[in-house]
Amino acid sequence: METQSKPASDPGVFRPTLGEELDQPESKRELNLEIFTRIAREYDLICKLLSFGRDLKWKQKMVRLLPDKTEPYCIDLATGTGDLSFYLGDRYPDGSVVGIDLTEKMIEVANGRNEQKNVSFEIGDMAALEVADGSADIVTGGYALRNAPILREAIREVRRILKPDGVAVFLDFSKPKNKLGQFLNVASLKFWASLWGLVLHRRPWVYGYIADSLHKFPDRDALERIFVEEGFELVERKLHFFGVMEKVVLRKRPE
C-alpha cells in the first residue's frame, strides 16, 4: 500500500495552468489526487449527471462481457466508490475482488458502501500495483487509464498482473481519430463537465479536467495500437452515447 502525497492547496475558482499540469507525470498524479479527494462525496452523483443516468448501465454491461469463471481473482483499478467492484462481486460470488484507488477519500466511501464479503478495497497506484505477477484472472477499470500519469506504465502493470489469457475490460471517454470529431467531443464535454463543476463546487476545472485529460489521451485507433504493442489482443470494442464513451475488452497475449 502506498503512502499518499498531500494534495495541493486550493487554487480557487479558476485554474488556467491545468493543461500544463497534465503534461508531467508527477503533477498529473498530484492533480488526480487533489481532484478525487475533493469530489469523493459527489462522485456517484456526477457520474450520473455527466452520463445522463447511463453510467451504471454501462458498468453492468462491462461485467456481463467477462468470461464465466468459478473463483476468479479480480482487480478493479481506479475503483472510485466501488460500483464495478460490487458488480464483479455479484457476478463471481465465489471469487475475490479487490478495488484499488489512489485516493483515500474514495476508498473510505467505497468501504462505507461495502456489504459483500468477497469484495475489499485498498489504496494503491495503478502503475505500481502490489499484486503478484500473473495472479489476476480479470482486471477492470472505469475511467481509469485516461487518468494514468504514464499510460504505457499502467497498461504494462495490467499485463504483468494478469494470468496467461487473462481478460481486461475498460470503460472511458473516447477520442475519435477525426480532428473535427475530437474537437466536438472535447468541447461539448468541457462545457457540460465545467458547468457541473461550477454548480457543485464553484470550480469549473474540477470536472472540466475530464475534457482536458481526454484532449491529451490517444485517439481510438492509437489506443488500440498501444494495447497491441504492449501485449494484448483486442476482443471487442463498443461505442456508447454517440461515440462519447467506449468500452474495450482485451485478452493478454501469450509470451
Side-chain angles (χ1 to χ4, degrees):
M1 184 178 296
E2 71 170 25
T3 302
Q4 293 192 98
S5 301
K6 183 180 178 181
S9 59
D10 188 350
V13 175
F14 298 105
R15 192 163 189 158
T17 62
L18 194 60
E20 296 176 10
E21 291 179 76
L22 294 173
D23 288 333
Q24 299 299 323
E26 188 55 35
S27 59
K28 183 175 181 180
R29 183 183 181 281
E30 292 298 319
L31 182 63
N32 279 327
L33 181 56
E34 177 184 350
I35 288 175
F36 289 105
T37 296
R38 180 187 296 276
I39 70 171
R41 301 296 172 185
E42 293 82 17
Y43 185 74
D44 291 338
L45 173 62
I46 196 61
C47 285
K48 292 180 176 66
L49 291 171
L50 293 183
S51 68
F52 293 91
R54 299 297 298 167
D55 173 66
L56 294 182
K57 293 292 185 183
W58 293 332
K59 291 174 180 175
Q60 290 168 350
K61 289 179 179 179
M62 282 177 67
V63 173
R64 287 201 292 268
L65 286 173
L66 292 168
D68 292 331
K69 299 237 179 225
T70 304
E71 298 179 350
Y73 179 40
C74 307
I75 300 293
D76 181 34
L77 300 178
T79 189
T81 58
D83 288 334
L84 270 174
S85 293
F86 298 136
Y87 291 143
L88 287 167
D90 288 336
R91 171 75 191 275
Y92 303 114
D94 296 320
S96 177
V97 181
V98 180
I100 298 174
D101 200 279
L102 181 68
T103 311
E104 182 178 359
K105 290 293 185 183
M106 286 289 192
I107 295 299
E108 287 179 3
V109 176
N111 277 324
R113 301 175 65 202
N114 191 10
E115 298 178 351
Q116 296 174 234
K117 293 182 179 179
N118 63 335
V119 176
S120 62
F121 296 99
E122 61 185 54
I123 300 168
D125 188 329
M126 74 176 82
L129 297 167
E130 294 189 1
V131 179
D133 293 1
S135 61
D137 297 279
I138 290 166
V139 174
T140 59
Y143 320 117
L145 294 181
R146 179 178 42 80
N147 288 318
I150 301 177
L151 176 61
R152 285 185 183 265
E153 283 189 1
I155 294 173
R156 287 168 189 161
E157 272 294 86
V158 172
R159 191 178 192 284
R160 179 187 68 78
I161 68 173
L162 277 173
K163 294 178 179 178
D165 292 327
V167 173
V169 58
F170 297 103
L171 172 73
D172 215 322
F173 293 93
S174 182
K175 183 176 175 181
K177 184 176 181 179
N178 178 275
K179 294 298 183 183
L180 177 60
Q182 290 181 17
F183 172 78
L184 293 174
N185 263 23
V186 172
S188 59
L189 181 58
K190 182 76 170 181
F191 169 78
W192 187 236
S194 296
L195 173 64
W196 288 110
L198 184 63
V199 170
L200 296 176
H201 301 278
R202 294 187 298 136
R203 286 162 176 78
W205 58 269
V206 170
Y207 300 125
Y209 157 83
I210 299 170
D212 294 323
S213 64
L214 180 60
H215 177 67
K216 294 178 179 294
F217 198 61
D219 64 52
R220 294 167 195 153
D221 292 347
L223 183 60
E224 180 178 340
R225 287 195 298 272
I226 292 172
F227 285 136
V228 172
E229 290 168 1
E230 296 299 336
F232 289 93
E233 59 180 274
L234 181 68
V235 176
E236 181 177 343
R237 62 191 296 186
K238 183 175 178 60
L239 296 176
H240 298 284
F241 211 55
F242 309 104
V244 174
M245 305 295 300
E246 182 178 26
K247 181 168 66 245
V248 180
V249 183
L250 307 165
R251 181 176 289 110
K252 179 177 177 177
R253 197 168 61 237
E255 297 287 354

